[in-house]
Each structure stands twice: as C-alpha cells, then as structure tokens.
Amino acid sequence: RRLIEDQLVKDIQTLEMVAYASYRDLPVLSSTTRGSVINAANEKRAIAVLVINQVVPGEEGLIDNPARVSTEHPDLAAFYEYSKTVERNYRPGSEVFAEVNAFLLEGEKSRLIWSGTTWSFDADGKGGAISGMSSNIVSELADIRDALLAQ
C-alpha cells in the first residue's frame, strides 16, 4: 500500500496537482469507513479521493466481476489468466492488479467520476509494475482534470 500510494503521489505531483498518501492518516484499512476517508480528505482540503482495491487472484472479490470485458473473456478473472499467458517476460509475483475509483468530493457527499481496472507487471518485480500502474492511473486523472477545467 505504501509503495503504491507514494508512487501515485510522486506521479500526480509531476502534473502540478496536490496529492496525499492515505496510509499516514488512515493506517488501518480494516477499520476505515467512508466517513473517515471523507473527514481525512476534508482536513487536507482535498477535492477528490482515489480508492484503489488491489485484486488478489484466487481470492473472493472484485476479480469475480461478472461484467464482460471482451467477447473472448467473460470476466476479469478470465482476462487476467489469459493476459499472463500472452505477455512476454511475465513471471508470477511481478504483477499488480487493481480496481481504481476516483470520487469528487462535495462536502460530505462524494460522486464517482471515474472507474477502471488496471493490470501491470514488470519482469524485474512489483516496483516496476507499481510504476506502470501509477503511470496509467495518473494519465487518466490528467484527462479528468482537463475535462473538469474545460466545463
């Protein structure tokens, strides 16, 4: 969690946006509530929150999403398994797979403004995969920012 959040903060700041890692203010995820996230964000005067759910293959959860991701892959689990077989230099343990949701804050309310799934891997280990995932997310955040500023 710390590695992912620190990489995201670093990459977001390169776009001249302000970002904070949550592990300092919300160290125990199991006791974190929606309200505690909004309170921590409001204390930092944040206008948006990025929620990342790391997906662990084989565990119950988001990877079982029934949404069809392609005609050949009926769900995320099938797509994930297929992707590992066709990517060059893939090694088990070198990947990061996550569902990402961005929420715009409006006082005590939040509004989903973007959602996506990203899978990144690096033959040299998770550090490279985290960097790749962060790069994908930050690129999308830049597009969201530009669209909001254009309104």
Side-chain angles (χ1 to χ4, degrees):
R1 175 182 174 199
R2 183 185 56 78
L3 294 174
I4 291 171
E5 289 185 15
D6 285 344
Q7 184 68 51
L8 281 164
V9 167
K10 176 183 166 191
D11 292 346
I12 289 169
Q13 289 174 343
T14 64
L15 297 174
E16 298 182 3
M17 291 190 285
V18 177
Y20 300 100
S22 69
Y23 65 84
R24 292 181 182 97
D25 298 313
L26 304 165
V28 182
L29 288 179
S30 60
S31 63
T32 300
T33 65
R34 179 182 177 279
S36 62
V37 170
I38 289 175
N39 288 339
N42 285 337
E43 286 176 12
K44 300 268 189 208
R45 296 183 180 205
I47 60 169
V49 174
L50 191 63
V51 177
I52 299 175
N53 298 306
Q54 189 168 357
V55 178
V56 179
E59 288 187 6
E60 291 291 323
L62 301 170
I63 199 166
D64 298 321
N65 182 344
R68 183 171 292 276
V69 294
S70 78
T71 55
E72 296 85 24
H73 310 104
D75 56 34
L76 290 176
F79 175 71
Y80 179 76
E81 289 306 316
Y82 169 77
S83 297
K84 291 192 294 187
T85 66
V86 297
E87 294 294 338
R88 292 181 16 197
N89 302 321
Y90 171 78
R91 285 193 333 229
S94 64
E95 72 272 2
V96 177
F97 185 52
E99 180 190 64
V100 185
N101 298 294
F103 295 90
L104 194 61
L105 300 178
E106 297 161 343
E108 295 300 313
K109 296 181 181 180
S110 59
R111 178 171 50 107
L112 180 67
I113 56 171
W114 180 78
S115 184
T117 303
T118 181
W119 176 58
S120 297
F121 79 94
D122 189 291
D124 294 328
K126 284 194 176 190
I130 288 170
S131 178
M133 181 186 77
S134 178
S135 178
N136 291 338
I137 293 168
V138 170
S139 174
E140 293 295 327
L141 291 176
D143 291 346
I144 293 166
R145 176 201 55 196
D146 294 345
L148 289 171
L149 289 175
Q151 291 181 356

